[in-house]
Amino acid sequence: MDQIRALQLRIEREQRARRAAEKIAEEKTRELFQINQALRVLTEDLQRRVDERTEELRGARDVALAASAAKSDFVANLSHELRTPLNAIIGYGEMLREDLHALDLEDLAHDSARILSAGNFLLVLINDLLDLEKIEAGQLATHLEEVEVAPILWSVVEIIRPDLEANNNTLELAIDPLASELVTDPTRLRQILHNLLSNATKFTRDGKIRVEIGPEHQGLRRTMAFAIRDSGVGMTPEQLGRVFQRFVQAESTTAQRYGGTGLGLALTRSLCQLLGGDITAISRPGQGSTFRFWLPWEIAGQ
Amino acid sequence: MKGMVFTELIEMIEARFSLELAESIIEACALPSGGAYTAIGTYDHAELVAIVVELAERTGAEIPQLIHAFGGHLFATFLKDRPALFAQMGGTFALLEHLDGTVHVEVRKLYPDAELPRFHAERRSPTHLALTYTSERGFADLAHGLIDASIAHYHEPITVTSEDLSAGRRAHVRFDLHHA
Ligand code: HEM
Ligand SMILES: Nc1ncnc2c1ncn2[C@@H]1O[C@H](COP(=O)(O)OP(=O)(O)O)[C@@H](O)[C@H]1O
Ligand SMILES: [Mg+2]
């Protein structure tokens, strides 16, 4: 074979190879196009399914919200309906106890006192529940006024004094003289202090409870800070993490040992936030707990 | 087998012998593809065998030697196409140890229909690498040529012995590489 013929053959071969390559490239391009089309269909299908799911979830959420609102209404109504007869039970119970006492029927007076304390416990529970529902529904109104802190604290101490003595606890009050007055809702402040002090007393035995009140600056804001410290049973970090949730108690045995419902701290936090402040807690098992809350010193704009 | 292997073989025949020989072999073989190979196409492995057999007949060279030489030619092509890969590997042992896991994996990404051999590399000692080649196409001599070219490229004092584990079919072969 001479060189010219070889070159000729080679050129022919390369021309055919080029056409083959072009055909392969064309096929690949078509294949890619079809894959692209399939992908687009798949994407559209996925998007449609996501949309459908989103719509379903939105519907489920609306249903859940409506159910939750209905439940709140129901609880509020029920609480109101319960309070009326309960007030009658407590009122007549008190009269009955006085009468039995006057008649020297001490055994019966003692029994009726137990009916009374059970009734009072129920009343506290119902009030807490009602307050919580109102706060969540944005319906709890606050009545702000200039408030003297010390008298409010003393009135709470008077209420819990029997429990303090029953558990053999000492109480220390440290009120900064600068912290005499602030603008807030006195009823709600009393409620907060009562919840925290009754917890401290309840979960401490043969120990010490200390209340500190003083001004505190948060950036440019002046606030009033309250600390309630106890040397009681304390909580583990997990227990502490759940303590402000409603109906949560540190342990499932807490209700049997100490009573209570686990509503108090949930309400306390909601009240602190309603008044423009907040609450935190630190605790160590076996060493005690400190609950700190703060409220704005004066309401913004005043 | 990918067209690139065929175009490289023809290129080697042209370079080592002549353009006339290359074309005359292709004409004589009456290949189904007519010898119109393109790198992105895929062709029957039997065509490659036919070309090599015809080449051996025309030149009087042994078939294994020709395939071995083709390995050397392919290595030079790979080296030219991807110098970074060989710089990164830094030596024959590393290259062979990464053949199945890295090098031929990259080939597979480019050509999903490539029919690649399987390599199993095992360090028996710091200076001894045992490499087992397995392929239906029985191209152990091509692997041998590639290995020898790699040793020459990295200027390494490595000696290679081999043992055919497939009764001379060249389909299952162990290479023992000893570094001095
Ligand atoms: C020293 C290193 C290498 C050795 C020993 C080796 C070995 C081989 C062998 C023996 C074949 C023939 C196919 C078979 O027997 O089934 C082959 C095919 C192939 N190798 Fe490698 N190879 C090496 C490095 C590389 C590198 C660096 C590349 C980079 C592109 C590469 C790309 C290919 C391609 C494209 C084929 C053709 C696939 C087919 O037959 O369809 N090889 N290799
Ligand atoms: N001062 C405290 N020391 C230890 N544990 C406390 C204290 N205050 C609250 N806890 C834990 O947090 C739980 C929730 O408190 P609270 O919401 O007031 O509910 P309750 O007093 O009705 O149990 C309590 O049951 C108790 O386990
Ligand atoms: Mg409580």
Side-chain angles (χ1 to χ4, degrees):
Chain A
M1 178 181 293
D2 66 17
Q3 206 168 7
I4 306 270
R5 168 102 180 102
L7 272 171
Q8 230 167 20
L9 284 174
R10 186 177 168 177
I11 289 168
E12 280 171 29
R13 221 164 34 79
E14 291 196 340
Q15 276 172 348
R16 272 181 286 131
R18 199 196 64 213
R19 277 196 294 274
E22 284 164 358
K23 224 174 113 197
I24 293 172
E26 225 177 81
E27 268 165 28
K28 289 275 167 214
T29 310
R30 190 173 306 118
E31 213 172 275
L32 267 179
F33 175 77
Q34 274 158 3
I35 291 172
N36 247 329
Q37 283 296 100
L39 262 179
R40 181 167 311 140
V41 170
L42 194 69
T43 315
E44 278 164 8
D45 187 46
L46 271 177
Q47 184 59 50
R48 207 184 48 245
R49 278 158 65 181
V50 168
D51 289 349
E52 279 170 19
R53 282 296 287 155
T54 310
E55 201 43 51
E56 271 172 47
L57 287 173
R58 195 171 288 140
R61 186 205 56 192
D62 289 348
V63 169
L65 280 178
S68 171
K71 187 218 65 182
S72 291
D73 280 356
F74 174 74
V75 171
N77 286 336
L78 184 68
S79 303
H80 188 75
E81 294 299 321
L82 285 172
R83 265 200 299 190
T84 314
L86 201 51
N87 280 325
I89 291 173
I90 291 169
Y92 283 102
E94 262 165 8
M95 278 163 54
L96 188 62
R97 191 190 53 189
E98 294 305 315
D99 292 348
L100 293 171
H101 192 62
L103 291 170
D104 262 347
L105 294 169
E106 284 308 326
D107 273 3
L108 292 178
H110 185 74
D111 289 348
S112 67
R114 298 183 80 161
I115 295 176
L116 251 179
S117 79
N120 275 318
F121 171 75
L122 264 185
L123 192 61
V124 169
L125 171 61
I126 291 167
N127 283 338
D128 282 359
L129 202 54
L130 196 58
D131 284 351
L132 253 181
E133 289 298 340
K134 275 193 192 154
I135 290 177
E136 281 181 4
Q139 288 169 357
L140 193 77
T142 51
H143 304 282
L144 302 179
E145 52 190 75
E146 287 231 326
V147 169
E148 274 197 76
V149 178
I152 291 191
L153 180 59
W154 288 327
S155 74
V156 173
V157 168
E158 276 322 302
I159 299 171
I160 63 149
R161 191 173 294 285
D163 299 330
L164 268 175
E165 282 163 8
N167 277 350
N168 194 30
N169 291 323
T170 60
L171 178 68
E172 257 176 41
L173 304 181
I175 308 180
D176 190 317
L178 289 175
S180 55
E181 286 189 347
L182 80 158
V183 175
T184 194
D185 182 325
T187 313
R188 302 307 170 191
L189 177 58
R190 191 175 290 114
Q191 229 174 331
I192 294 168
L193 284 169
H194 180 262
N195 276 332
L196 295 178
L197 269 169
S198 69
N199 276 352
T201 325
K202 188 158 68 164
F203 296 105
T204 308
R205 220 144 269 195
D206 304 319
K208 202 171 86 177
I209 291 154
R210 183 179 159 85
V211 181
E212 293 160 14
I213 306 177
E216 194 178 84
H217 282 271
Q218 293 191 357
L220 288 176
R221 229 147 82 107
R222 286 207 306 164
T223 70
M224 186 77 84
F226 301 74
I228 291 87
R229 307 178 187 281
D230 67 58
S231 60
V233 295
M235 285 171 275
T236 65
E238 301 86 69
Q239 293 170 339
L240 193 61
R242 287 177 292 134
V243 92
F244 292 111
Q245 288 169 24
R246 43 203 314 200
F247 299 116
V248 167
Q249 293 186 315
E251 286 168 59
S252 47
T253 55
T254 303
Q256 294 152 33
R257 280 177 63 193
Y258 301 100
T261 56
L263 265 187
L265 285 178
L267 177 62
T268 301
R269 182 172 66 173
S270 294
L271 288 173
C272 288
Q273 292 171 349
L274 185 72
L275 294 175
D278 210 346
I279 183 168
T280 60
I282 51 175
S283 187
R284 269 215 206 144
Q287 304 211 357
S289 314
T290 299
F291 285 81
R292 298 188 91 250
F293 73 95
W294 58 268
L295 300 175
W297 191 303
E298 59 255 306
I299 296 306
Q302 282 200 328
Chain B
M1 185 157 284
K2 295 311 295 178
M4 173 250 200
V5 181
F6 293 84
T7 54
E8 286 303 323
L9 177 63
I10 294 169
E11 203 169 277
M12 183 188 81
I13 299 172
E14 283 178 5
R16 292 212 170 190
F17 303 98
S18 69
L19 172 67
E20 292 90 326
L21 183 64
E23 291 307 326
S24 140
I25 287 175
I26 291 167
E27 196 176 38
C29 286
L31 303 159
S33 69
Y37 301 114
T38 140
I40 52 177
T42 304
Y43 308 90
D44 191 347
H45 163 253
E47 291 195 12
L48 194 80
V49 175
I51 296 172
V52 174
V53 168
E54 186 71 21
L55 178 64
E57 219 147 82
R58 304 276 187 110
T59 59
E62 298 286 327
I63 291 177
Q65 267 75 61
L66 287 172
I67 298 179
H68 184 281
F70 181 40
H73 176 84
L74 269 185
F75 187 87
T77 310
F78 295 154
L79 191 60
K80 204 171 71 221
D81 286 353
R82 37 195 96 197
L85 174 74
F86 291 91
Q88 186 199 332
M89 293 299 168
T92 302
F93 279 17
L95 178 66
L96 296 181
E97 280 169 334
H98 288 93
L99 201 51
D100 252 25
T102 312
V103 180
H104 274 170
V105 171
E106 291 303 316
V107 175
R108 168 86 54 221
K109 286 185 202 163
L110 273 177
Y111 306 114
D113 56 348
E115 297 174 297
L116 291 165
R118 268 172 297 122
F119 286 99
H120 176 75
E122 194 185 313
R123 257 324 149 115
R124 300 241 164 118
S125 85
T127 59
H128 176 194
L129 182 84
L131 181 78
T132 337
Y133 161 92
T134 315
S135 167
E136 274 315 300
R137 289 163 296 285
F139 267 178
D141 296 310
L142 186 73
H144 203 154
L146 280 156
I147 294 167
D148 284 346
S150 168
I151 293 168
H153 167 69
Y154 289 113
H155 304 294
E156 291 165 308
I158 295 175
T159 51
V160 185
T161 55
S162 70
E163 189 182 343
D164 194 317
L165 308 171
S166 53
R169 285 198 301 118
R170 313 303 285 147
H172 188 44
V173 172
R174 193 185 70 241
F175 297 96
D176 286 288
L177 286 79
H178 287 276
H179 201 290

